[in-house]
Every structure is written in structure tokens, then in C-alpha cells.
Amino acid sequence: MAQLELDKVTKVFDDSSGTIVAVEELDLDIDDGEFVVFVGPSGCGKSTTLRMVSGLETITDGEIRLGGERINEQSPKDRDIAMVFQSYALYPHKTVRGNMAYGLQLSTDLDDQEINRRVEEAADMMGIEDLLDKKPASLSGGQQQRVATGRAIVREPAVFLFDEPLSNLDAKLRKHMRTELARIHSEVGITTIYVTHDQEEAMTMADRIVILNDGRLQQVGTPKEVYYEPNNRFVADFIGSPSMNFLDVKLDRDGTGSGTLVGDEVSYKVSDGMVGNLDDASSDLVLGVRPENIRIEAGAPPEKSIEATVDVVEVIGSDNFIYLDLAGQEFRVRTPSEIEPEEDETVTLTFDEENVHLFDARTGDALVHGRSQASVSAPPEQSDTAAD
Amino acid sequence: MAQEQGRTADQIRERYGIGERTLTDRIKDNWVGYLFIIPTFIAFTGLFYFPIARGVFMTFTNASLGVTGEFIGLDNYAWLLTNDLFFYSFGWTIVFVFGTTFTQLGLGVVAALLLNELREVAKDWVGVLIMSPYFSAPLAGGVIWMWFLDSNFGFVPKLFGLFGLTAPSFLAGDFWPFVSLIVAQTWHDYAYSAIIYAAAIVSIPSEQYEAAALSGAGRLRRFRDVTLPHLLIPTIVILSLRTAWNIAEFSQPFALTGGGPGTQTMLMSILTYRVAFVNTNFARAYTIGMAMVVLSMSAAVIYVKAIDQEDDLYV
Amino acid sequence: MSTDGRSEKTAESTDGTGTDRSRRDFVKATTAAASAGALGALAGCTGDGGDGGNDTGGDTGGDGDGNDSGGGGGGGGGGGSESVEVQFLSAQAAENSSIRSHFQESMQDFQEKSGNVSVSLQTASYGDMKNKLASTVQSGNPPALAESGSAGLQFFLNDQLVDHTKFFEGSDTFPDDFTVPNKEVANFRDQWWSAGAIRHTSSNLGIRPKIFSQVGIQNPMEELNTWSKFHDAIVQIDEEMDTIAYEETGVAGDLESYWGQARTAYTGGTDPWIRGNPDDPDVVIANSDMEEDRRRTDGMIKACIKRANEFSSDEAASRGDEEIPSLMLTGRVASFTYATPTARRWFAVNEDATIGWADGEGDFMLLPDPKLDAEYGSKIGVSDLEGLEGEHGGHVWGLEQAHTVFSGVSNAKQQGAWELSQYLFSDDDFVLPAWGEHYQSIPGLATKMDPLLNEYPDLPQNFQRAIENQNQYAEQYANTGGAWDLRATDPIRWTDINETISQAIAGQHSVDETPGLVRERVLTRIEESG
């Protein structure tokens, strides 16, 4: 079975240029047929993890098991893993057919006829039947991407690895290929690890998202989980676009158990349900709220609102991104397109308590989410323009 | 664009008043540019094309030391075609050139692969080591090999002596001088192909190796299926250039055997020199030079044809 | 070009694009013009490139200061007659550093003595001489006086030399005091084309006494005086000792050794190769019409090849003479026939080398080439030579050192060049140290022999012996090719004769077919060159 387990997997690069921990004690179980996306900023260790799984990189410590069997020492070709590279890595001198058949010729003892049949089947699935006798250089980027994917599919491996496969395509094609790949996955149902630095890609494609930073696991969860209940400030910041607003606040409790979050030019009243369970010691907090959860509302109750000055209004069609100045810090709001305040205008902003996230200012860990996971009802409204 | 808008180029020109540009217009606009080109143009014509044309003309004269000579038609070519030594040297030149060129290719690939495997610092040093013969004067190369191969004082015969063996006379007889010349010439210039190959190898995306490794290709297989195809174009380039240079090679073989023993290793380049400066028959020397040009050009044509065959390589 | 640029510029600036634009254009134009100028200068440089070679100190890697003679040292400005600077291209001055500095000092000496002629001395090795002359003459920039060697004959035939006869007619010493070889060398079909060779050297038998004494030789002058006796000795050396008994200097350019050998089949100075009317010469080689002489000439060609095959190293066909001193001084070679009077060569290899027999302990000794005796033919296996005898000391050089005055310079320079050549031939301040000390050789004027011997009574054995050879074979001591008076003397000597023999030594054709091949090539050459 193609269940993939990573057990305290660690990778240390130690050479003349220094000693770097690229991945540290990463634990992860990936179920058979699952589509897992690794996401994180560049240098976070996602590609290194992928390469350790593929066998292109040795494992410093820990264990990787495929179908319950340790594969640390197996060479790449023995792992039954296929990989799609960001650059596609097509062999320029071979035809599309030759590219796709290569792995089968080397690693199986199928006869030519059978290989041909499988190549054509895969080509059919990828919609590249007409390109089989062309050389890669004469194909467009999207076509090359399909060939690269087809080359992986044709081998029917236990695990697919995708290393930022869409980042060389233009935005429109990228979106198209996303759905295309999702469709393929649902057709073949092979365990897949997909690496990207694009959180939007991760959100739309993944069964589960694995967020990495500095070689450490930040959070594993479904797209909704990581969106609504980010484990920490890093995840909260990374997922969502434009990214979450953060304000340094202190909690002033009143007698009733509820309290007020007070910061520079900010004062926001929260209920007992929100902060009742907070430890008193953790009075240095960070208030997080997503731009899409903030409304511009002149008549909002003062204890639930913030005043800020408009800096820039970015019109993107369906929505407006409004960048405001709040006590010298940038504050982002996403509004419907009909709401378009003037620059330098001071506006009143408000948001619901259920959209508030509180983080420990020191550790960055999430303390309270305004809305518990149980109450999640609507899918997250995702930006589809920013951060491409 | 014009087509898409349903207008002809003329219509557009008419609409925006763009007139036909004459030569004078262009000269007016770019006169400074032409001014800059003129010296180069004159220099090239005067120092390059003119001498070539003059050289070709000279093959139809009896020019010799100090005089331009008179027109004698095809006599020099007749002499060439009836000269045993010329035919001999023509054949030996071909053997020498191809022996040298192809050995340089092979050695160049090996050196480039070796370089590619090394770490940065070692790469620099080994690189310098590999390149050093290429940057040594060919004449010096000849002297070095002479010192190496000389039966009486040479290093190689001494080395043989250490093991109680007698080295053959590397620069005598009717076999070893040929080998010695080819080996020495290979040594001198193989770094050229190594440089080009190394550059080509570095530019092969590592993903292609990784993809091949994941597909189940072992080391040798990866070399065959990934590295070698990427070396094809560089190979053609190296072949063409090295062939031309090896045909023209003079200094090192001249220093090493001077065409001897007897005239056994008489390359066309050395024969040219001898006819020009021993027999002072410059016209005939130029005529031999023409044969060398023909030889280089034929080789180039063959190589270019080979490229044509591989035209669809990356398309 | 610059005026063009300027007019274009004004045209541009009146377009009304403003002063800024026109200034920029001006700068551009000037730059273009300047670069064109620089290129022109470059072309100028290439044009007189030959001339540019006069700092030859660096060229030949010697002591560095090639021609500082222009420096005012000799400035004979005073004497009313116009002063003139003469370009002198010498190969002799490049032979070694001591003769080079002697030449440089002597140029100063000549300037002082002549008063109004200064010399710009340039040097080129003998190997580079033709090359260098070709470029200077072609570019219309010949030196006034050059050690043209045999290439000078070509220039003479091209009318690029002065007619030296006019100088000779005004001279008391020329050609009367010339050595025998010089009389042949400087004359071409009754015209004096050259001022002659300022010195001669000869190639004779050279042996290593230390080796020959070990095979019982005690008096080499007697015991090695015929080819048969010499043959017996080298057979013994070859059999008994781990050394090359006889090394042929068999590269085509150094087969003068054979030229000396060839002459030993004749007596009285008869030319072994080409005789008679230069318009229709008799080629002796492989000439069945001249059976006895053919046997002598062909026999010596064959003997040369056979001796090389039998006694010489594998490298003989590419052996140059300059390799021999180190081989002989280290005992690897016992004998050769390219021994010259120049002792310096040997001391350059080993300062302590003993030249001469020295009771069988010498390192090197010069002997006359052995005489041909009746038995040698059967000993060496060349039937042509059986029963024939002859004798000669060896080969003498002359043509290679011929000095010529070029006509492409002013009359004053021609006259200055002639005066300089006279100085080189006859001024004791130059001649005696040059040939007695710096580069031991035989002066170009026979009359200088006695003063030389008086000045240097203790000469090295090889020089001493070379002079005695010269005296012994006096009138017959001719230079190879000098007497042929053929236009193609050089290719006949070096290519048709020497290269063909060298090929035979290298095994490219058989011993027996060699004379026929040489004949064929010589005849073709004569036919082509007229």
C-alpha cells in the first residue's frame, strides 16, 4: 500500500559553506490516495523534503516508510516514485513519446507494444495525443507541462511528487492546469505530494495542507482548518490573501469576564466567551483579523470599531483592496467594489468577534479563534488575484 | 498587424506619411555609424581579404623570394599534382588531423567530466592544470615533448629504463614519429574541447539527471541518455574548429620532427614552409596552402552536413 | 577623413537640432577619425614591419641590445661628407653571445674609422635569414648589407642587388685575396654578385679519442686516414661498446657531412655532382655516360646511407649537428663527419672538455675526412666504390655566409655597405678576434690566415686541424654548389640531394634507388629553373 510515513525526518546540509538544518524532525503520515500540498516560503524545506522522499537527497536522521517499509536506503529508481519537476526536465533530444516511454523501458520489462499502449493512454488522459512525435522544444509551456505530468502518470507509481510544477506558466494557464491536475488525481487516485510556494494553489488543490517554515512543521490540516484555525501567527499570515492584519494589544478585563483589547489607537471589546479562558499572564497579545472580514461602517458601535486613514485604494474589479494607516502601521481591508473611500479620508472599521484571532505576542502561538472549527459553515472566501 | 487591421502596408504608410527611405536618407541618419565602420572595413579589406585574393593570384605565378613573379597559368597546380611528396604529406596530414582531432575530443570529454565532478577549489586548480598545455606556446610544446621523447636524454626512455625496459625510438622509424606527433598535438590542444565540453556539461539541467535517475537510469545510462545528447552540438563546433586548426598546425610538429625522419612526418604545413623558405618558391608554397584550405573547407562542409542531419535535434 | 567629418557635422548642426547635438556629433566624428588614424598608424607599422625588426637583441634572445649603434658614438658629422647610416643584417652576429658583442663593438670601431658611416646592426639566425630578408625586400625596405647567404643569389637574379663588379674593380684585395671557395661563391657566370663570405668553416671527421683509444687506435691521423681503416674501427666500437659508433647528421638541413664525404671519392677538387657549362650542365649523379665518376658519386651516396643504417642511431635521419657535442661529450656518440673548427660549441656544453687526442683521453678531436681507398667499396658493400681512390679534407662552407649589398638603398648607403664589408673582411681589429677567439673559423681572405695564426698561436686542436686541412687541400677546397653557377643551387643541394638521402636513411626508399631519384629530381629542378 502506498501510505507514506515520515518519522522525525531531518536533513542537515553540512559543507564548506556552512551547516544548515533544512528540515528538522518532520513527522507526517500521508494516506493512500491522499493529495497533500507542501507550502511555505522559499527555503522552508518543502522541496528538500520532497527530494528526500524521492531519494534524490539522503536523509540525515529519521525514517521514511512507504507502505510500511523503510525506504531510506533505497535508490530513487527502486522507490516506485515519479516526480514532475518545475523545469519539466524533458529530454530535449527525445520525442514526447520517447520521453514518456523512457521510464517504462528502463524500469519495467514490458514489451514495446505494451509500453506504447500505456504511453498513448496517458497521452490521451493528458490531451497530448497529437504531440507524441514532436520534440519538447517545439511545444508550448503548457504542453511541456502536460508531457512532464504524462511522463509521471505513465509509470503508474506508488507516489507522485510534484515540485512546483506550475510556477513556469502564466497565471491563466496555471489556474487551468490546477483543475486539470486535480481531475487527473481524482482519476488515477495515486498518493500525491505537491510542493508549491503559492498558498492559493495549496488551498484549491489540497486534501491536506502541510505548512513548513524554517525546516519545521507549522501546521497540517485541511484548507479550512488552516484558514480558520491557524496554529500560529506564521500560518495565519501565510494563508489568505491579502494576508491577515495583526495588531499588538493588551487585554483589559472588566469585572464580568469580558474585556477590551487595547492597543495604539485601538480599542476593541471582546466577550467573555472569547477571552474567558485566557490565562491572565498572557496579557501581551496579538489581535489578528483577515482583511475580508472587515467592514467599513460609519455607524458601527464605537467599542467594536477602529478609526484609520485611507492610504491607497486598489481596485481589482470584483473587490477593492484598501490600504489604511493605523498608528503608523499598514492595515488591509477588502471591500465590495462599490465601497471606495477617498484617499486620506478617515473611516470607521468594524469586524465581528467571531473573526478575531488572538495570538501570544511572545511565542506567536494561537490562543483563541473567534470561531471554533465546529461552527465553520461557509467555505472560505478566497482571493483569486493577489499573490500570484 | 497590417493584415489584421485589414490594411496594406502602403495604406498605413500613406495614412501616416511615411515615405520610402532612400540610401541617402539612411546615410544621413546614420553617418556617424558608417564613419565608425569605415576603419574596420578598410582594415579588413586591406589586411585580410586583399592578402587572400593576392595569395590566390600568386598560385598562378612563379613568385619567389623577393619578386612577385609572372603569370604562368596552372603550372603550380600541375607541379602539385605530379609531386609525390605532396601526395604523401596530404595523406599524412589527413591522418594526423583526424587522429589528433578525435583523440582531442575523447580526452576533452573525459577531462570535462572530471572537472565537473570536482569541488570548486579543486576545480580551479585541476582546470588550470588541464588548460596549461593549451596556453603554452606550441613551439615550447615541441621542445617539451622533445625533452620527453629524446632517446638519449628523454624522460620517457629513462622511465622505461627504470623498469628495465628499452623504449622504442619515439622520433625515429616508420611508426613512432607518427604516434608521437599525434599524441603531442592532442596533448597541446585537448583542453580546448575540454573547456567547451565542460561549459556544455555545466549547462545541462540537473533535473534531467534526476528525472532519469527516478526513471531507473544508472550512472552510465544517464551519461548516455542525458549527457551525450547535450554534447552533440559542441562536438560539431569543436570538430570544425579543431580540424581547421590542426590542418594549419605548424609550430609543434616542426619543433618536434620538422617533417623527419627523412620526410616521413611531412605535414602540409611543414611542406609549405620548406617550399617557401628552403626552396624559396613562394608561389608553390601558396599552392600547397590552397590545398590546405580546400581540406579544411571540405571538412567543414562535412561537419555542417552532419549538423543538417541532426537539424531536428532540438526542434 | 577628419575634414569629411567636419563638413557632415556642420550640415547636421544647421538642421537646428541645437548646439548640444552638434557638439556630440563632433565628439563622435573626432573619435571615429581618431580611430581611423590609429588604424592608419597601425598599417604604417605593419608596412615597415621588416624595418621594425632592428632591435634584434630581443629577437634572438641574446644580450639584448641589438642596435644601439645609432647612438652618437661615431657621429662623424665634421668631415664635410654627408654622414649615412647603413642597415646591416647579420646571421653570424647571432651565432653566440661573444661574437655578438664583438660585432657590436666592431660596429662602433668601424664608425670611428670610417668617419661618416654609422651602422644599424640587425641580426637573424641562419634559419630565419631567408624569412626576414623576404619580408624586408618585399616591402621595399632591404638592408644595405646583409649576410644573405644563398638567398642572395636569388636577389641577384631578380636585380635586387648592386653589381658588385664595380666595387671589385676598384679594389686591390678583391677578388685576388679571396680564399678559393670565396672565388667560386662570389662569382656567378662571370659576374661578381656577392662580396663573398667573411669566414669559412668546414665539416670534417670528428671522433671521441676516449672511445677510439679503447679499440686500439694510437695515432688517429694515421690509423683513421682511410675509410677502410675508419670502418674497421667503428665496426669494433659497434661490436664491443655500448655507444653509437658513427652518427650521421642525417636531417636534410645538416647533411653537409655527406658533402664532405662525397668529395673524398675524388682528387684535385673535382665536383662530385654538377659540372660544365651552367646552361647545359653535366649531372654526374646516376649518369651512365660518365661511368667512373658516376661510380664515385653514386658510391658515396650509397656509402653514406649504408654507414648510417649500419652504425648510426635510429634517429640519424632526423639528427641535427647541434645535438652531437652533448652526445659525444657524454660518450654516447663515437664519431661523426660534421666536426667544425668552432671550439666554442664544445666548451658551451662542457667548459672542461678536452679537445685533441690527449693520449687517447681527449673528449673530441677533429680529423680530415678519411681518404677513399680501393678496399672500402667491398667493406661497406657498395660495389660502385670498389677499386676507386680519392682524398679530400671535408666540406667547406661559403655560400651560406655570402654578404651582399642591396640596390634598393641610396648610393651613399651602397658605398657605406661596401666599406663595411671591406672592414669585415680585412680590418685586423675585427677579423682576428672574431675568427681566432669568438667564433673559430677560417677568414674570408686568404691573406688573413697568417696574421691570425701569429695572433693566436695556441689554437684548439679542431681549429688547428681545420686550418691544416685547408692548407693541405688548398686549391681543391671548394664550396658545394658555389661552382655550379645554377639558379637553383639551393634547392638542388638541400632538397634534391640532401632530402632524398635523408629519406633513404629514414628508410623511405632503398639505398640502390637513391642516386637515380636524386638525379631525377636534380634534372627536373634544372629544367624548371633554367
Side-chain angles (χ1 to χ4, degrees):
Chain A
M1 281 309 293
Q3 189 198 21
L4 188 67
E5 295 160 273
L6 277 65
D7 189 357
K8 294 209 182 321
V9 169
T10 300
K11 175 70 190 180
V12 179
F13 290 108
D14 189 12
D15 58 25
S16 54
S17 58
T19 303
I20 297 158
V21 182
V23 178
E24 192 155 23
E25 307 204 349
L26 179 63
D27 287 313
L28 189 65
D29 285 356
I30 300 170
D31 291 333
D32 185 25
E34 198 177 9
F35 195 112
V36 170
V37 176
F38 285 13
V39 71
S42 43
C44 72
K46 54 189 192 300
S47 285
T48 306
T49 309
L50 197 73
R51 292 168 61 81
M52 282 193 287
V53 172
S54 70
L56 296 173
E57 209 75 76
T58 58
I59 299 156
T60 311
D61 196 25
E63 188 171 86
I64 297 180
R65 289 184 293 273
L66 182 61
E69 189 191 342
R70 176 184 162 101
I71 57 166
N72 285 34
E73 287 77 24
Q74 283 182 9
S75 69
K77 66 185 165 86
D78 299 328
R79 293 191 184 194
D80 197 16
I81 283 173
M83 184 158 166
V84 177
F85 293 85
Q86 178 176 358
S87 64
Y88 316 137
L90 298 175
Y91 312 122
H93 52 284
K94 287 188 191 300
T95 58
V96 169
R97 188 189 299 280
N99 266 282
M100 289 172 72
Y102 186 67
L104 291 178
Q105 284 162 351
L106 287 187
S107 58
T108 67
D109 42 17
L110 300 177
D111 59 26
D112 286 355
Q113 214 177 349
E114 177 63 11
I115 289 175
N116 225 357
R117 193 187 60 74
R118 277 173 63 171
V119 167
E120 274 164 21
E121 211 174 83
D124 190 45
M125 190 185 293
M126 294 307 301
I128 49 172
E129 314 90 309
D130 300 341
L131 309 177
L132 279 176
D133 295 317
K134 296 199 171 169
K135 293 267 174 74
S138 63
L139 306 182
S140 70
Q143 288 170 328
Q144 291 186 21
Q145 213 291 317
R146 282 164 198 270
V147 174
T149 309
R151 184 170 70 178
I153 289 172
V154 80
R155 292 188 45 207
E156 300 177 4
V159 179
F160 269 147
L161 304 178
F162 288 89
D163 190 2
E164 311 215 12
L166 304 182
S167 51
N168 286 358
L169 303 179
D170 64 58
K172 200 169 170 188
L173 195 53
R174 183 154 56 214
K175 283 206 177 115
H176 177 70
M177 285 308 296
R178 257 189 225 162
T179 47
E180 195 78 340
L181 289 178
R183 175 181 65 77
I184 305 275
H185 177 251
S186 65
E187 277 179 43
V188 299
I190 293 174
T191 312
T192 302
I193 303 179
Y194 186 106
V195 163
T196 179
H197 63 270
D198 179 353
Q199 55 91 22
E200 186 188 325
E201 213 166 276
M203 294 295 276
T204 51
M205 299 177 79
D207 291 337
R208 278 197 298 159
I209 295 182
V210 175
I211 299 151
L212 296 167
N213 188 33
D214 272 344
R216 291 199 188 80
L217 183 65
Q218 303 295 317
Q219 188 169 3
V220 185
T222 65
K224 278 180 194 167
E225 278 168 1
V226 299
Y227 181 78
Y228 287 113
E229 295 179 17
N231 266 1
N232 54 34
R233 198 178 151 170
F234 173 81
V235 176
D237 188 39
F238 193 80
I239 301 290
S241 172
S243 56
M244 189 182 271
N245 295 297
F246 295 103
L247 299 167
D248 290 329
V249 292
K250 282 186 193 301
L251 176 63
D252 270 0
R253 283 186 200 275
D254 54 23
T256 63
S258 61
T260 309
L261 298 168
V262 184
D264 273 358
E265 297 180 29
V266 176
S267 159
Y268 186 86
K269 196 168 164 44
V270 283
S271 68
D272 176 36
M274 177 97 190
V275 296
N277 294 334
L278 280 185
D279 193 344
D280 271 358
S282 53
S283 60
D284 279 342
L285 300 173
V286 174
L287 181 156
V289 58
R290 295 194 182 277
E292 54 269 37
N293 294 332
I294 302 172
R295 300 182 303 279
I296 296 178
E297 207 176 285
E303 72 275 12
K304 287 268 187 194
S305 62
I306 299 170
E307 306 249 303
T309 314
V310 176
D311 248 357
V312 179
V313 179
E314 237 178 52
V315 179
I316 58 158
S318 59
D319 296 291
N320 289 343
F321 291 166
I322 297 161
Y323 296 87
L324 304 108
D325 181 82
L326 177 66
Q329 274 190 303
E330 187 186 83
F331 199 77
R332 298 167 291 275
V333 176
R334 180 174 181 167
T335 68
S337 57
E338 62 272 17
I339 298 175
E340 191 178 341
E342 293 293 315
E343 287 182 11
D344 294 334
E345 186 186 338
T346 303
V347 295
T348 308
L349 308 170
T350 186
F351 43 90
D352 298 336
E353 190 180 290
E354 63 177 19
N355 293 323
V356 169
H357 308 262
L358 286 178
F359 304 93
D360 186 314
R362 201 171 40 83
T363 63
D365 289 343
L367 299 173
V368 181
H369 300 293
R371 173 187 346 215
S372 70
Q373 203 206 339
S375 63
V376 171
S377 54
E381 276 181 46
Q382 266 303 304
S383 144
D384 47 11
T385 42
D388 271 347
Chain B
M1 268 324 215
Q3 274 78 2
E4 275 176 37
Q5 295 168 352
R7 289 185 291 184
T8 65
D10 281 338
Q11 282 172 322
I12 297 172
R13 282 205 200 99
E14 204 180 329
R15 167 76 180 76
Y16 294 103
I18 304 169
E20 196 80 46
R21 277 161 52 82
T22 62
L23 184 65
T24 12
D25 285 340
R26 271 181 287 170
I27 291 179
K28 250 183 202 154
D29 286 354
N30 302 314
W31 64 271
V32 173
Y34 285 103
L35 206 58
F36 272 99
I37 292 170
I38 283 172
T40 314
F41 178 76
I42 292 173
F44 251 83
T45 314
L47 299 175
F48 191 70
Y49 295 115
F50 175 67
I52 287 180
R54 197 160 158 270
V56 173
F57 174 74
M58 219 156 132
T59 64
F60 301 108
T61 69
N62 59 0
S64 70
L65 192 65
V67 284
T68 330
E70 291 156 13
F71 186 79
I72 54 163
L74 291 173
D75 282 8
N76 290 323
Y77 290 91
W79 168 80
L80 203 66
L81 296 177
T82 53
N83 190 299
D84 292 343
L85 191 55
F86 167 73
F87 278 107
Y88 177 83
S89 72
F90 190 86
W92 157 231
T93 300
I94 290 176
V95 172
F96 171 79
V97 167
F98 288 97
T100 309
T101 310
F102 283 97
T103 327
Q104 284 171 349
L105 277 185
L107 217 56
V109 172
V110 174
L113 287 173
L114 174 76
L115 270 185
N116 200 43
E117 291 298 315
L118 294 174
R119 288 156 174 275
E120 279 310 318
V121 182
K123 201 177 203 162
D124 291 349
W125 284 105
V126 176
V128 167
L129 210 66
I130 288 176
M131 302 308 158
S132 50
Y134 186 61
F135 295 114
S136 70
L139 212 58
V143 174
I144 290 170
W145 278 92
M146 190 87 103
W147 173 81
F148 234 63
L149 300 177
D150 186 275
S151 315
N152 298 292
F153 308 107
F155 174 76
V156 179
K158 285 249 163 73
L159 205 67
F160 270 66
L162 278 185
F163 297 100
L165 301 167
T166 310
S169 305
F170 290 109
L171 298 173
D174 47 15
F175 175 69
W176 285 107
F178 302 109
V179 176
S180 301
L181 279 188
I182 289 177
V183 168
Q185 196 57 40
T186 303
W187 166 87
H188 190 265
D189 289 333
Y190 79 97
Y192 177 82
S193 52
I195 297 171
I196 293 187
Y197 277 139
I201 289 174
V202 165
S203 71
I204 300 174
S206 58
E207 285 92 349
Q208 292 199 5
Y209 289 104
E210 295 175 349
L214 281 168
S215 296
R219 248 188 120 72
L220 269 180
R221 191 77 205 210
R222 290 203 293 275
F223 174 73
R224 206 192 81 178
D225 291 340
V226 180
T227 312
L228 275 189
H230 278 99
L231 299 186
L232 198 73
I233 296 294
T235 300
I236 302 289
V237 171
I238 297 167
L239 271 182
S240 318
L241 292 177
R242 282 260 55 98
T243 303
W245 281 332
N246 285 335
I247 287 172
E249 181 58 45
F250 170 76
S251 305
Q252 190 170 296
F254 185 73
L256 204 49
T257 65
T263 53
Q264 299 253 47
T265 61
M266 187 66 75
L267 288 167
M268 283 160 83
S269 56
I270 301 176
L271 185 63
T272 307
Y273 169 84
R274 287 185 57 85
V275 171
F277 291 110
V278 176
N279 296 350
T280 62
N281 200 321
F282 283 47
R284 283 179 180 177
Y286 262 94
T287 313
I288 303 171
M290 293 304 295
M292 290 165 68
V293 171
V294 169
L295 196 61
S296 321
M297 275 168 49
S298 320
V301 167
I302 292 170
Y303 296 143
V304 169
K305 277 276 178 226
I307 293 186
D308 270 353
Q309 300 280 311
E310 295 294 333
D311 203 19
D312 54 347
L313 193 63
Y314 295 116
V315 182
Chain C
M1 182 151 301
S2 60
T3 40
D4 271 359
R6 195 163 300 131
S7 63
E8 287 277 13
K9 180 213 77 179
T10 36
E12 279 286 338
S13 59
T14 48
D15 276 355
T17 33
T19 47
D20 209 359
R21 163 85 192 278
S22 69
R23 208 186 63 80
R24 240 163 36 108
D25 279 347
F26 176 72
V27 172
K28 282 200 276 179
T30 337
T31 320
S35 61
L39 237 133
L42 203 74
C45 277
T46 4
D48 48 29
D51 205 5
N54 61 6
D55 51 346
T56 38
D59 204 333
T60 37
D63 327 73
D65 45 355
N67 72 322
D68 39 3
S69 49
S81 62
E82 217 176 304
S83 73
V84 61
E85 191 191 58
V86 171
Q87 257 86 40
F88 172 34
L89 180 59
S90 169
Q92 179 63 60
E95 279 284 83
N96 65 41
S97 59
S98 100
I99 188 82
R100 178 199 294 275
S101 39
H102 179 60
F103 261 80
Q104 283 161 349
E105 284 155 21
S106 299
M107 291 308 108
Q108 297 288 336
D109 179 45
F110 168 71
Q111 256 163 257
E112 280 156 26
K113 286 175 179 163
S114 80
N116 65 338
V117 184
S118 65
V119 182
S120 159
L121 175 67
Q122 304 159 31
T123 59
S125 73
Y126 282 107
D128 292 342
M129 183 54 84
K130 278 182 185 169
N131 198 343
K132 190 143 188 169
L133 277 176
S135 60
T136 53
V137 173
Q138 201 98 45
S139 65
N141 232 330
L145 179 68
E147 190 176 355
S148 315
S150 49
L153 185 56
Q154 184 73 48
F155 294 124
F156 172 72
L157 295 169
N158 299 342
D159 281 335
Q160 286 160 326
L161 300 184
V162 299
D163 183 1
H164 291 68
T165 311
K166 69 174 181 198
F167 293 135
F168 277 57
E169 280 165 357
S171 164
D172 297 334
T173 42
F174 291 77
D176 304 335
D177 290 353
F178 264 160
T179 55
V180 175
N182 251 345
K183 284 177 183 163
E184 286 182 348
V185 162
N187 192 291
F188 183 81
R189 305 190 185 183
D190 296 332
Q191 280 180 292
W192 295 103
W193 65 274
S194 152
I198 58 174
R199 57 91 174 165
H200 306 290
T201 47
S202 52
S203 79
N204 312 83
L205 176 62
I207 61 162
R208 181 165 172 82
K210 274 181 186 164
I211 292 176
F212 277 81
S213 60
Q214 288 183 51
V215 292
I217 303 294
Q218 287 172 332
N219 180 0
M221 276 302 287
E222 285 300 319
E223 293 168 60
L224 297 175
N225 69 354
T226 67
W227 282 111
S228 286
K229 291 184 197 169
F230 177 69
H231 182 86
D232 291 341
I234 59 177
V235 164
Q236 212 179 336
I237 291 170
D238 191 46
E239 284 167 359
E240 292 171 15
M241 301 171 75
D242 181 24
T243 188
I244 302 164
Y246 171 82
E247 184 73 340
E248 190 57 76
T249 49
V251 67
D254 285 338
L255 258 176
E256 291 101 322
S257 51
Y258 155 74
W259 296 350
Q261 296 160 22
R263 289 188 180 277
T264 63
Y266 291 90
T267 45
T270 313
D271 193 293
W273 304 284
I274 296 166
R275 301 173 198 155
N277 176 5
D279 287 325
D280 182 22
D282 295 324
V283 176
V284 183
I285 314 148
N287 188 341
S288 49
D289 294 342
M290 316 170 74
E291 186 51 22
E292 191 189 314
D293 281 7
R294 180 203 68 74
R295 281 172 56 204
R296 291 179 195 274
T297 299
D298 292 5
M300 289 316 278
I301 291 176
K302 294 174 187 172
C304 171
I305 302 163
K306 284 207 154 181
R307 205 162 39 240
N309 290 344
E310 215 165 306
F311 301 104
S312 296
S313 74
D314 293 340
E315 278 88 5
S318 38
R319 180 70 74 201
D321 69 289
E322 60 281 352
E323 298 168 63
I324 299 286
S326 58
L327 289 173
M328 186 172 277
L329 290 181
T330 52
R332 288 183 171 81
V333 162
S335 65
F336 71 127
T337 47
Y338 198 110
T340 65
T342 320
R344 273 194 177 269
R345 277 196 174 193
W346 299 81
F347 294 128
V349 177
N350 180 359
E351 281 177 42
D352 305 324
T354 309
I355 296 181
W357 181 250
D359 293 329
E361 286 302 310
D363 290 303
F364 157 66
M365 178 184 196
L366 187 143
L367 295 169
D369 275 5
K371 301 170 185 172
L372 178 63
D373 55 299
E375 287 74 42
Y376 187 57
S378 54
K379 284 212 163 166
I380 191 75
V382 176
S383 55
D384 283 335
L385 291 180
E386 279 172 29
L388 295 177
E389 293 181 359
E391 64 171 305
H392 192 284
H395 160 72
V396 64
W397 276 276
L399 200 44
E400 286 62 38
Q401 286 76 32
H403 283 58
T404 56
V405 179
F406 280 83
S407 57
V409 297
S410 68
N411 283 337
K413 286 192 179 191
Q414 291 173 12
Q415 188 58 41
W418 172 251
E419 282 169 25
L420 174 59
S421 77
Q422 292 228 296
Y423 170 84
L424 295 171
F425 271 101
S426 51
D427 193 298
D428 285 351
D429 290 341
F430 172 76
V431 172
L432 303 185
W435 316 131
E437 190 181 338
H438 299 294
Y439 194 90
Q440 291 89 347
S441 37
I442 297 151
L445 292 183
T447 49
K448 289 296 165 188
M449 207 62 226
D450 288 340
L452 183 70
L453 292 173
N454 290 339
E455 180 81 14
Y456 298 96
D458 287 324
L459 294 174
Q461 184 272 342
N462 62 325
F463 189 21
Q464 186 76 44
R465 186 62 239 172
I467 293 169
E468 283 162 28
N469 285 350
Q470 165 100 344
N471 293 337
Q472 189 175 341
Y473 297 103
E475 288 303 302
Q476 49 164 301
Y477 219 65
N479 173 251
T480 301
W484 299 344
D485 282 3
L486 290 173
R487 293 181 182 88
T489 300
D490 243 19
I492 289 174
R493 296 190 304 168
W494 300 109
T495 305
D496 302 336
I497 296 178
N498 282 13
E499 192 177 275
T500 310
I501 294 175
S502 178
Q503 285 174 331
I505 295 172
Q508 290 177 276
H509 42 71
S510 73
V511 176
D512 287 337
E513 66 184 329
T514 306
L517 275 172
V518 173
R519 177 178 181 79
E520 210 175 282
R521 291 174 185 180
V522 170
L523 287 179
T524 313
R525 184 80 63 185
I526 291 174
E527 194 181 322
E528 277 175 356
S529 63

